[in-house]
Amino acid sequence: MSNNAIEVDGLTKQFGSFNAINNVSFSVHTGEIFGILGPNGAGKTTTLEIIEGLQAPTKGHTKVLDINSQNNAPKVKERIGVQLQSSAYFDYLTLTEILDLFGKFYPKRIPAKTLLAQVGLSDQSSLTPRKLSGGQRQRFTVAATLVNDPEIVILDEPSTGLDPQSRRNLWTLIRQFNNQGRTVVLTTHYMEEAEELCDRVAIMNTGNIIALDTPDNLVHSLPTPYTIKLVSHSLLPVEEVQELGWTHLTTANTENHTYTFKSKESPQTLSWLLEWAATRQLIFKDIQIIKASLEDVFLAFTGHQLKD
């Protein structure tokens, strides 16, 4: 058996003359949280729907738990849990009744009481979905995703529309069922979400995967992933700093004695800079080190921001 929970090979999806996905290949390791990060229209949802067996590819194939998800979609669906971008529930059934109903479709299932306790909705078990807050409704959607005790959980933009606190509560849930041994695949256009949750991230744009690695490795693939901002009490002899070769100046406001540098290695750069400043008897009023984000990686690869 493969060490990969999901394998995607040469995946292409065309809608008429439009290529939604262009020859995409990647694998998801068993037990990891794997993220697909990209703007709306990048092809994230289409990729997931093919993996889940909901759409047929134009070319290529996908395997889930060593099962071809195009030829054996029912077998795949028994072993995965899927949370779509939008979910609709029966208006007049309670949370318990909905989960009991969903569970009847699977040979293996988790009791509704257990699921609701896991997502912190035990006290709401007799309510209908329409009476839940946005955050509670999203947690219930996660409970519905877990009803068949899946080995793989697939979440399509799970935190869209949530307030910051509800989003972080959802992140805690995602980590919890990953710690239970489940592989998690999620799509997002929130760079913070990908950085916070994912073991590895595939950055997707216009139907192509343009980079795939751990968030840290992706950031460190940039020529200068660190920005150092200095505010000094006096003019900084910038020419001397430039000649030292540790870093390069990007902005300077000599009136406010504020300087910004880009660096490949911030800890070493900062140490060298402080040592150099001490020999010159220079004193800094403020020092900030800012690490690049996945937004910066996306910008470097595509030339535009993720939110665009």
Side-chain angles (χ1 to χ4, degrees):
M1 184 174 177
S2 171
N3 289 326
N4 294 325
I6 296 173
E7 295 178 357
V8 177
D9 184 22
L11 200 63
T12 296
K13 180 64 177 180
Q14 295 175 315
F15 295 98
S17 60
F18 174 66
N19 267 22
I21 308 173
N22 299 306
N23 194 31
V24 163
S25 297
F26 64 90
S27 60
V28 178
H29 304 328
T30 300
E32 74 174 336
I33 301 180
F34 184 89
I36 305 178
L37 174 69
N40 293 330
K44 305 187 302 295
T45 296
T46 302
T47 300
L48 290 190
E49 289 179 349
I50 294 173
I51 291 171
E52 297 155 4
L54 298 178
Q55 285 201 50
T58 305
K59 295 180 183 177
H61 69 273
T62 59
K63 291 176 70 176
V64 178
L65 300 169
D66 288 327
I67 303 169
N68 186 301
S69 55
Q70 283 73 59
N71 298 337
N72 297 286
K75 289 185 179 179
V76 168
K77 291 172 184 176
E78 284 183 5
R79 300 175 66 183
I80 65 173
V82 176
Q83 179 248 314
L84 304 175
Q85 279 192 21
S86 59
S87 302
Y89 299 105
F90 300 99
D91 290 338
Y92 299 105
L93 294 183
T94 67
L95 305 190
T96 298
E97 289 168 340
I98 291 171
L99 294 178
D100 285 340
L101 175 63
F102 286 0
K104 293 182 185 299
F105 292 103
Y106 298 98
K108 181 174 66 171
R109 54 186 176 267
I110 299 176
K113 183 178 180 180
T114 302
L115 290 170
L116 292 172
Q118 188 171 351
V119 299
L121 291 175
S122 295
D123 292 343
Q124 288 76 32
S125 61
S126 61
L127 298 181
T128 58
R130 65 171 64 184
K131 294 183 179 179
L132 301 178
S133 67
Q136 290 173 332
R137 187 179 177 90
Q138 200 71 335
R139 280 187 278 144
F140 177 67
T141 298
V142 170
T145 300
L146 300 175
V147 72
N148 61 324
D149 193 16
E151 296 162 67
I152 300 174
V153 178
I154 300 176
L155 308 171
D156 196 0
E157 300 197 358
S159 63
T160 297
L162 296 183
D163 62 79
Q165 184 58 53
S166 296
R167 182 175 297 145
R168 291 192 173 274
N169 290 341
L170 183 63
W171 293 354
T172 300
L173 283 177
I174 292 172
R175 291 191 196 94
Q176 283 177 1
F177 50 74
N178 176 245
N179 290 337
Q180 293 168 356
R182 294 185 174 95
T183 302
V184 179
V185 180
L186 62 90
T187 68
T188 183
H189 55 262
Y190 296 121
M191 58 182 178
E192 183 188 8
E193 185 163 81
E195 291 171 336
E196 181 74 20
L197 288 177
C198 299
D199 298 302
R200 291 189 303 143
V201 175
I203 299 180
M204 197 167 190
N205 189 47
T206 60
N208 299 285
I209 289 183
I210 58 177
L212 195 163
D213 210 328
T214 66
D216 197 51
N217 284 347
L218 286 171
V219 167
H220 281 93
S221 71
L222 298 175
T224 52
Y226 295 98
T227 299
I228 300 175
K229 293 186 176 181
L230 301 176
V231 182
S232 65
H233 284 280
S234 58
L235 284 173
L236 202 64
V238 173
E239 295 79 7
E240 288 189 35
V241 179
Q242 296 287 74
E243 290 173 1
L244 295 173
W246 312 322
T247 186
H248 66 271
L249 180 73
T250 55
T251 63
N253 186 327
T254 55
E255 184 176 340
N256 295 326
H257 302 161
T258 302
Y259 305 86
T260 302
F261 298 86
K262 287 286 189 179
S263 173
K264 178 66 177 177
E265 300 289 347
S266 80
Q268 291 89 332
T269 300
L270 184 60
S271 175
W272 294 330
L273 193 58
L274 291 174
E275 288 178 11
W276 171 82
T279 64
R280 300 294 187 278
Q281 295 186 332
L282 296 170
I283 299 175
F284 299 132
K285 293 169 62 178
D286 186 37
I287 300 176
Q288 296 181 49
I289 301 176
I290 303 169
K291 185 179 178 181
S293 68
L294 291 178
E295 176 83 36
D296 299 304
V297 176
F298 187 85
L299 178 63
F301 276 99
T302 67
H304 60 87
Q305 293 182 322
L306 183 62
K307 63 184 179 183
D308 295 336

